[in-house]
Amino acid sequence: MLDNRSLRYQDYQVSDYKSLWHYVDHLAMNKLGYPVSLLTYLGVIDNRILGIMPSSLANVLLNNVGDPFIDSETSLLEVKKHEREIISILENYYGLAKGDARGYVTTGGTEGNFASLWWSKRYLINKGLDTLITTDNAMKQQVKEEQELMAESARIPNNDTQLRLAHLQKIIDIKNAIDEKKNIVQQLLTPTVFYSKGPTHYSVPKIAEILRLNIRSVMPNDDGSISLDDFKKELIFHLNAHPYSPVIVIANIGTTVSGAIDDVPAIHHIINSMQTKPNYSIHMDGALSGFVLPILKPFGDVANYFDAIGVNTLAVSAHKYPGLSQPCGIILARRKFFEKAFEKSERNIEYVGNIADVTITGSRSGLNVLMFYNALCVLGLNKNNEKITKMVKENMENANYLTEKLSEIYGKDQVLHRHHFNVSFPKPSRALAKKYQLMLTGNNATICVLTNATRKLINQFIHDLKADKETIMSTVTINTDYTIETLTDEHAKTVIDLFVKSFCDSEPITKHLGVRYHDYEPFAREVVQKAVAEGFSKVILDHNNYVIACAIAEDLANPFIPHSAHYPKLHPVLALLEQLSKPFTEGKKFIPGKILHIWIALVDTAYRGKGLSTIVDMACIDNAAHKGFDFAYAEFTNDISEKVTKQFKTLQVFNKIKYDDYTMENGRKPFAGLAGAAVSYVATIRPGVNLNALSNCYKTMETY
């Protein structure tokens, strides 16, 4: 007898998870047709180590295939009823009329943007289909006429020049007309995406490339929102050049770093104010703030966040807000838009019941759907907005509190809190950024103050930040007449000159060998060029912006390789340094970003004796420590440079070679009679790091 439990699922309440489990359990026990082995359900793969219990909805495949508004006929291990309920809750939340929303649960913001741009392309092509068909038919007729003209031209006598020229002109005119119509067809088939370059999510250019959409960037304002003036200018230029091209605008509802929200009503108004209004669609990328758009109300009291502001689609990342434990999101669209996009749909999935293929991924996680639905119910959105409104208010209060605390440390002008949840400030050490998982961009770090960012966690961070600022290696101060900058191309010529003079005139080993400026210059130039490209080196400038000191540094994982043939007189010096470094470097492959190699410190003769060598060395080390480096390694060839070691609490001598004792492989003693020695050191440069951790910074020959 046929068990009809599978027929009763439609009568269950979506929140009755116990009944749902019994239904799913029955389906799993009787599954034969689809290529799914159900190893977790059978217990062959035990997920209890992950906290997932047997006989639970999380331990069995739930697969929503295709359009959530069409249930599968026989692929019944799905929860599309819950997915439709999510859309129903959110259409009410965003002010759409009942039944006016379409969409589906995605893997996150990128898929939401992908679906939106795909749907928008289909919508705009279908919307311009009449023009497309008319143009294409006219073009086909003209191609036929061209072929007839070509055939006629063969019958014109060669000596009838006037007739042949007139006929040739007709052929040229019709070819031009065909090319013009081809151009129109190409414009109609290829929408152009407008987006603000930089603040817009990185997925948009990638998706446009995959979907073969044109793309046109617009300048952002200082806060990351799209510049309306630049958008209007770019739109006018575009429409003048491509009057038939449909337009898709990406409007950000909370940029990743600053949290800026684009003025969507103004974007809509600008498009409609064009003399020749294009076919268009506006997509809101609301990864974070899109979920709380009706709470934030950036456009005032808007009854409908689609119709009222001229938007067709909205993508939200549910793992950002409300904060699911799996990457997840939703793409929502107006029903009329969606139906237009798929009115000519040619792809249905036959083996699951002719379901329209309207999603990017096809198969989608039913567990994510259940988690999303449960989150909406826990937050009370199936009833009202009270709970989430209170939550958002608390988030913004904590963001203000964090801003005040950071301003006490850095000053108000160094802390940015322009929009809602995001607070930016000067970048702390890499270690602190990793501990608190800060967003790093340029010289700034950003904290996104959501519900997990409690006052207790903020206070803990502020305590650690103060300690970080006090203990990071910045103990040396510099005269206010001087400034420290990163070595760039602007300084290169002066630094090379300082490099050559310092070593030829003052360094014991080069003076002993009689190295002249022209002998040393090629070496100095190669070292400085590499240093400029890598950005680890520092210069000290006087009040006239002239380089008076420099320290050249590199990542030991990417060391400078000398070309001895370019500077043969330096061969003994380079051989000495190679021998000096062997105990530390031989047989090791260093991991990038762990050990800074301090190559050379240089000070103009007029400024020596003021501690600038130590200052510029420490500036390099401080910069590297902020980037996450744990150690500094250096070879010192004179007593003055070695004074910098006094700044370190934890260091180790790795090798020492007296000049008078040094013998090259050929038996030559190039520094015979020279007093002094070359010494190599390694030192810790960040608090909490000890020398035992050195082994974590490299692999030995046996391991790579």
Side-chain angles (χ1 to χ4, degrees):
M1 181 178 175
L2 180 66
D3 189 325
N4 68 352
R5 275 183 289 179
S6 61
L7 305 178
R8 296 204 302 268
Y9 172 51
Q10 61 183 346
D11 299 323
Y12 292 166
Q13 295 295 317
V14 286
S15 57
D16 187 355
Y17 301 117
K18 185 177 180 181
S19 295
L20 176 61
W21 163 249
H22 289 306
Y23 165 73
V24 168
D25 182 41
H26 167 71
L27 293 175
M29 285 191 295
N30 291 280
K31 188 208 74 69
L32 289 176
Y34 291 92
V36 177
S37 60
L38 296 180
L39 294 187
T40 58
Y41 170 79
L42 295 172
V44 177
I45 297 174
D46 191 342
N47 279 332
R48 281 178 290 190
I49 194 170
L50 303 176
I52 300 172
M53 294 297 105
S55 301
S56 71
L57 290 167
N59 203 49
V60 65
L61 174 76
L62 295 171
N63 183 8
N64 284 14
V65 180
D67 189 345
F69 285 85
I70 304 175
D71 290 330
S72 175
E73 290 182 1
T74 57
S75 180
L76 301 176
L77 284 167
E78 62 179 17
V79 284
K80 287 188 175 179
K81 188 173 182 180
H82 292 78
E83 194 166 14
R84 292 193 292 271
E85 191 63 24
I86 291 170
I87 294 169
S88 177
I89 291 170
L90 292 179
E91 78 181 356
N92 178 64
Y93 178 58
Y94 288 111
L96 282 81
K98 186 174 179 60
D100 197 33
R102 288 293 182 267
Y104 72 93
V105 172
T106 66
T107 56
T110 294
E111 187 185 348
N113 287 337
F114 203 150
S116 166
L117 288 175
W118 176 42
W119 292 356
S120 296
K121 180 178 181 179
R122 292 184 63 103
Y123 166 79
L124 292 168
I125 290 174
N126 285 341
K127 196 175 179 185
L129 201 57
D130 289 343
T131 305
L132 185 62
I133 291 170
T134 301
T135 306
D136 188 57
N137 288 339
M139 183 172 62
K140 288 175 182 175
Q141 179 61 36
Q142 288 174 331
V143 168
K144 184 180 178 181
E145 291 173 12
E146 180 194 13
Q147 292 169 345
E148 292 172 353
L149 287 169
M150 294 293 288
E152 288 174 13
S153 68
R155 296 192 292 270
I156 299 174
N158 290 336
N159 59 358
D160 194 343
T161 307
Q162 188 172 355
L163 183 58
R164 290 184 67 82
L165 284 174
H167 202 77
L168 180 60
Q169 185 61 53
K170 288 181 181 179
I171 293 172
I172 292 172
D173 290 344
I174 203 162
K175 280 182 177 291
N176 288 337
I178 291 169
D179 287 342
E180 184 180 341
K181 285 182 172 56
K182 282 182 179 178
N183 184 17
I184 292 171
V185 168
Q186 184 61 34
Q187 289 183 46
L188 290 167
L189 291 174
T190 314
T192 296
V193 179
F194 285 78
Y195 75 110
S196 56
K197 190 172 183 178
T200 296
H201 194 258
Y202 62 83
S203 66
V204 169
K206 172 178 65 179
I207 296 163
E209 179 184 346
I210 295 168
L211 292 175
R212 296 188 176 184
L213 300 168
N214 293 325
I215 195 158
R216 195 175 186 111
S217 63
V218 179
M219 292 297 294
N221 296 314
D222 290 342
D223 69 345
S225 61
I226 195 168
S227 167
L228 296 175
D229 289 340
D230 196 57
F231 170 63
K232 185 174 183 178
K233 180 192 74 175
E234 292 293 336
L235 184 61
I236 291 170
F237 286 159
H238 172 72
L239 294 177
N240 284 338
H242 309 282
Y244 292 92
S245 174
V247 168
I248 304 170
V249 181
I250 307 293
N252 290 310
I253 307 299
T255 54
T256 304
V257 176
S258 68
I261 293 178
D262 291 336
D263 191 341
V264 182
I267 291 170
H268 184 227
H269 175 74
I270 288 170
I271 297 172
N272 282 306
S273 69
M274 293 294 103
Q275 189 170 359
T276 303
K277 192 175 81 170
N279 279 337
Y280 71 95
S281 186
I282 300 174
H283 166 61
M284 293 194 295
D285 181 2
L288 169 62
S289 301
F291 188 80
V292 292
L293 193 57
I295 311 301
L296 298 176
K297 297 184 177 181
F299 316 127
D301 290 321
V302 176
N304 183 317
Y305 279 90
F306 285 75
D307 290 348
I309 58 177
V311 168
N312 279 325
T313 54
L314 165 67
V316 168
S317 294
H319 56 276
K320 294 175 180 174
Y321 221 123
L324 303 189
S325 59
Q326 301 295 320
C328 177
I330 193 163
I331 173 70
L332 294 173
R334 289 200 281 183
R335 181 174 179 172
K336 287 182 180 178
F337 162 89
F338 180 85
E339 290 176 347
K340 187 68 176 178
F342 288 96
E343 69 178 0
K344 305 290 184 182
S345 180
E346 64 286 350
R347 288 186 299 272
N348 285 348
I349 312 164
E350 180 184 7
Y351 62 85
V352 293
N354 285 319
I355 297 173
D357 183 16
V358 299
T359 68
I360 297 296
T361 54
S363 291
R364 294 169 292 105
S365 169
L367 179 59
N368 278 358
V369 170
L370 293 179
M371 293 172 67
F372 197 170
Y373 171 71
N374 185 56
L376 295 181
C377 292
V378 170
L379 291 173
L381 275 177
N382 55 331
K383 297 176 181 176
N384 55 55
N385 302 353
E386 290 180 9
K387 191 169 184 178
I388 195 168
T389 300
K390 183 179 178 182
M391 192 178 294
V392 170
K393 182 182 178 184
E394 184 178 283
N395 297 156
M396 292 195 287
E397 287 173 352
N398 284 343
N400 289 330
Y401 176 75
L402 173 63
T403 302
E404 291 172 6
K405 292 297 180 183
L406 288 170
S407 297
E408 291 172 5
I409 297 173
Y410 292 106
K412 289 184 178 180
D413 60 330
Q414 295 293 305
V415 181
L416 293 176
H417 176 212
R418 290 167 165 166
H419 305 286
H420 311 117
F421 311 118
N422 293 32
V423 183
S424 297
F425 55 97
K427 184 164 59 178
S429 71
R430 177 89 42 182
L432 195 71
K434 285 182 177 180
K435 177 177 179 179
Y436 290 98
Q437 300 152 68
L438 309 180
M439 289 190 288
L440 303 180
T441 50
N443 294 319
N444 288 327
T446 299
I447 291 174
C448 191
V449 184
L450 299 177
T451 306
N452 65 294
T454 61
R455 292 287 176 102
K456 181 180 179 181
L457 182 58
I458 290 171
N459 289 336
Q460 176 187 311
F461 169 73
I462 293 297
H463 176 271
D464 287 353
L465 179 63
K466 289 177 178 177
D468 185 69
K469 279 180 62 66
E470 291 171 2
T471 58
I472 200 75
M473 302 199 72
S474 56
T475 56
V476 182
T477 57
I478 186 165
N479 189 305
T480 54
D481 290 339
Y482 311 142
T483 57
I484 299 177
E485 293 184 6
T486 299
L487 171 62
T488 65
D489 276 325
E490 180 186 351
H491 314 117
K493 188 176 184 302
T494 310
V495 169
I496 292 169
D497 185 56
L498 178 60
F499 197 165
V500 171
K501 289 179 180 177
S502 295
F503 272 75
C504 292
D505 295 346
S506 305
E507 190 69 20
I509 51 177
T510 45
K511 286 182 67 178
H512 185 82
L513 295 173
V515 177
R516 298 177 182 273
Y517 290 176
H518 68 270
D519 300 318
Y520 202 86
E521 194 271 339
F523 172 73
R525 186 174 61 253
E526 289 178 14
V527 172
V528 172
Q529 285 173 347
K530 180 175 184 287
V532 167
E534 293 179 345
F536 292 108
S537 305
K538 295 289 182 179
V539 294
I540 299 179
L541 309 175
D542 66 8
H543 63 280
N544 292 319
N545 226 27
Y546 185 82
V547 176
I548 57 175
C550 175
I552 296 176
E554 63 183 1
D555 189 333
L556 195 59
N558 179 32
F560 174 75
I561 307 297
H563 299 87
S564 296
H566 297 178
Y567 20 83
K569 269 210 163 184
L570 292 183
H571 181 62
V573 175
L574 299 174
L576 168 67
L577 293 174
E578 183 180 357
Q579 186 66 32
L580 185 66
S581 293
K582 269 189 176 181
F584 186 70
T585 62
E586 193 171 38
K588 299 183 181 76
K589 183 177 181 180
F590 292 97
I591 297 170
K594 291 292 186 181
I595 304 176
L596 184 75
H597 179 207
I598 304 288
W599 249 97
I600 295 151
L602 316 161
V603 180
D604 189 295
T605 53
Y607 292 88
R608 290 178 185 169
K610 301 177 182 293
L612 296 186
S613 177
T614 298
I615 290 170
V616 76
D617 272 339
M618 294 304 294
C620 285
I621 288 166
D622 182 43
N623 177 55
H626 275 80
K627 292 180 177 180
F629 284 74
D630 292 329
F631 299 94
Y633 173 74
E635 306 100 342
F636 297 109
T637 54
N638 63 58
D639 294 339
I640 296 172
S641 297
E642 204 171 347
K643 288 179 180 178
V644 74
T645 60
K646 294 178 181 178
Q647 302 297 324
F648 299 99
K649 294 179 181 179
T650 308
L651 74 161
Q652 179 180 338
V653 176
F654 260 84
N655 197 11
K656 185 173 184 177
I657 300 176
K658 291 184 177 180
Y659 296 133
D660 192 42
D661 294 341
Y662 174 64
T663 304
M664 297 179 67
E665 290 180 356
N666 59 8
R668 180 185 167 203
K669 299 186 73 170
F671 306 114
L674 180 64
V679 187
S680 63
Y681 286 90
V682 68
T684 63
I685 63 173
R686 283 201 301 112
V689 176
N690 58 56
L691 290 170
N692 293 333
L694 261 177
S695 59
N696 298 327
C697 300
Y698 58 81
K699 297 178 181 179
T700 60
M701 286 291 190
E702 292 78 19
T703 58
Y704 74 87

